[in-house]
């Protein structure tokens, strides 16, 4: 059996089109401000893609570039003024920040109603309890991928590799809301294969090239690959050894073209939601 490919690019395009149609109906054009501190090359590429995607759906975007030497106080001041600017619907501080700036206080300085990344502890708390806040974009995108192939998590066993605040932990909460049984694994989990082989849905988000091998996957499992790595030849690859695992799985996300496009689509969608709320539509 060869797995079917979950075409994240096509599914993301559907969400972008939906967002564009809704943006067109708003009285005021939504605005997203993306803050980059320093010159991390990967961040520069991610931000360029986010800005381009905003333009495509009619969201105004503004990139605020601060120098590597920027102090925490300067960054907090910039966020404070964006919080107060009524024309700004979304504020995103691209991570990682330079090592002299703690991300916690920065993310908490963003007004929760403009926190389109869903990283503020208020939105994190809502995710864990009642729901209804902004959902972090990558986990929300993974849920959309499963919806798009008509897969219900009800009663299924989801196993997540990686416990980051951006992907693993919030994804566990979203999957619990869908009535999955969720197992979290990480770098200190002994006998990892014992868990991964039980997964109906296996999500790899550990940042290690081609880490998940075919013998770690149950026959017919759905495999979601969040990784963006370079292999030994410098070629883009995920956390999953896709060529081997696709002979065991029933569905699999490619890298590139799987989870990545969904993260950006959900960011646009969150920015739309913010603008709708702020314009009294939701
Ligand atoms: N760095 C890597 N992924 C993300 C993301 O989704 N949002 C932000 N702000 N920074 C990131």
């Amino acid at each position: 059996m060869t797995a079917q490919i979950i075409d994240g690019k096509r599914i993301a395009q559907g969400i972008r089109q939906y967002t564009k149609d809704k943006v067109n109906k708003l009285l005021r054009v939504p605005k997203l401000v993306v803050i980059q501190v320093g010159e991390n090359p990967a961040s520069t590429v991610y931000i360029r893609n986010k800005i381009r995607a905003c333009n495509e759906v009619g969201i105004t975007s503004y990139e605020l570039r601060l120098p590597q030497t920027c102090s925490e106080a300067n960054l907090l001041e910039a966020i404070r003024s964006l919080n107060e600017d009524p024309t700004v619907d979304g504020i995103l501080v691209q991570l990682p920040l330079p090592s002299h700036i703690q991300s916690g206080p920065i993310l908490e300085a963003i007004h929760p109603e403009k926190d389109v990344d869903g990283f503020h502890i208020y939105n994190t708390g809502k995710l864990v309890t009642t729901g209804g806040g902004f959902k972090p974009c990558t986990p929300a995108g993974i849920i959309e991928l499963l919806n798009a192939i008509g897969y219900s998590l009800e009663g299924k066993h989801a196993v997540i590799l990686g416990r980051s605040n951006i992907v693993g932990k919030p994804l566990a909460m979203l999957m619990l809301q869908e009535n999955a049984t969720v197992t979290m694994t990480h770098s200190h989990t002994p006998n990892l294969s014992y868990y991964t082989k039980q997964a109906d849905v296996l999500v790899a988000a550990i940042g290690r090239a081609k880490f998940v091998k075919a013998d770690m996957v149950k026959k017919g499992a759905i495999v979601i690959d969040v990784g963006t790595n370079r292999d030994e030849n410098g070629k883009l690859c995920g956390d999953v050894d896709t060529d081997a695992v696709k002979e065991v799985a029933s569905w699999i996300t490619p890298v590139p073209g799987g989870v990545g496009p969904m993260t950006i689509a959900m960011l646009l969608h969150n920015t739309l939601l913010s603008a709708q709320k702020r314009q009294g539509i939701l």
Side-chain angles (χ1 to χ4, degrees), residues 203-258:
V203 182
I206 46 170
R208 290 175 67 177
K210 300 184 184 178
F211 179 84
V212 175
K213 305 293 182 196
D215 63 2
M216 296 169 71
V217 178
K218 181 168 83 172
K219 195 168 183 324
I222 296 179
V223 178
I224 307 288
D225 190 350
V226 185
T228 309
N229 314 295
R230 297 273 165 192
D231 69 10
E232 57 283 3
N233 303 314
K235 193 167 166 251
L236 197 63
C237 71
D239 290 351
V240 176
D241 185 357
T242 312
D243 285 343
V245 170
K246 73 175 194 289
E247 299 307 322
V248 182
S250 61
W251 290 89
I252 195 165
T253 59
V255 176

Side-chain angles (χ1 to χ4, degrees), residues 134-280:
F134 287 113
K135 294 173 191 160
C137 301
T138 302
I142 291 170
I143 299 293
E144 289 298 326
L145 288 176
L146 295 173
N147 285 340
I149 61 164
Y151 187 79
S152 166
L153 282 164
E154 175 84 30
K156 298 295 188 337
H157 187 191
V159 177
I160 301 172
L161 281 89
R163 55 176 163 178
S164 71
N165 291 339
I166 294 181
V167 183
K169 286 187 215 164
L171 179 61
M173 294 303 131
L174 291 178
M175 289 182 147
L176 283 174
Q177 281 169 18
E178 302 286 324
N179 297 329
T181 300
V182 181
T183 299
M184 297 287 299
T185 68
H186 48 78
S187 54
H188 294 252
T189 304
N191 197 5
L192 204 56
S193 294
Y194 167 80
Y195 299 97
T196 60
K197 275 196 277 202
Q198 295 178 39
D200 298 312
V201 179
L202 179 62
V203 182
I206 46 170
R208 290 175 67 177
K210 300 184 184 178
F211 179 84
V212 175
K213 305 293 182 196
D215 63 2
M216 296 169 71
V217 178
K218 181 168 83 172
K219 195 168 183 324
I222 296 179
V223 178
I224 307 288
D225 190 350
V226 185
T228 309
N229 314 295
R230 297 273 165 192
D231 69 10
E232 57 283 3
N233 303 314
K235 193 167 166 251
L236 197 63
C237 71
D239 290 351
V240 176
D241 185 357
T242 312
D243 285 343
V245 170
K246 73 175 194 289
E247 299 307 322
V248 182
S250 61
W251 290 89
I252 195 165
T253 59
V255 176
V259 173
M262 296 302 288
T263 300
I264 294 188
M266 299 316 290
L267 172 67
L268 302 175
H269 190 254
N270 276 351
T271 307
L272 165 70
L273 288 179
S274 175
Q276 286 177 323
K277 281 185 200 155
R278 293 162 52 71
Q279 294 179 36

Side-chain angles (χ1 to χ4, degrees), residues 48 72 74 106 117 153 168 206 216 256:
R48 192 188 308 140
E72 188 171 310
N74 286 146
I106 298 301
D117 250 338
L153 282 164
I206 46 170
M216 296 169 71

Side-chain angles (χ1 to χ4, degrees), residues 34-35 43 46-47 50 91-97 107 110 116-119 136-139 166-167 263-264 267:
V34 180
I35 304 176
S43 292
Y46 290 141
I47 289 175
K50 287 170 184 176
I91 304 168
L92 182 155
V93 177
Q94 188 68 27
L95 302 176
L97 287 166
L107 298 177
I110 297 170
V116 287
D117 250 338
F119 292 166
C137 301
T138 302
I166 294 181
V167 183
T263 300
I264 294 188
L267 172 67

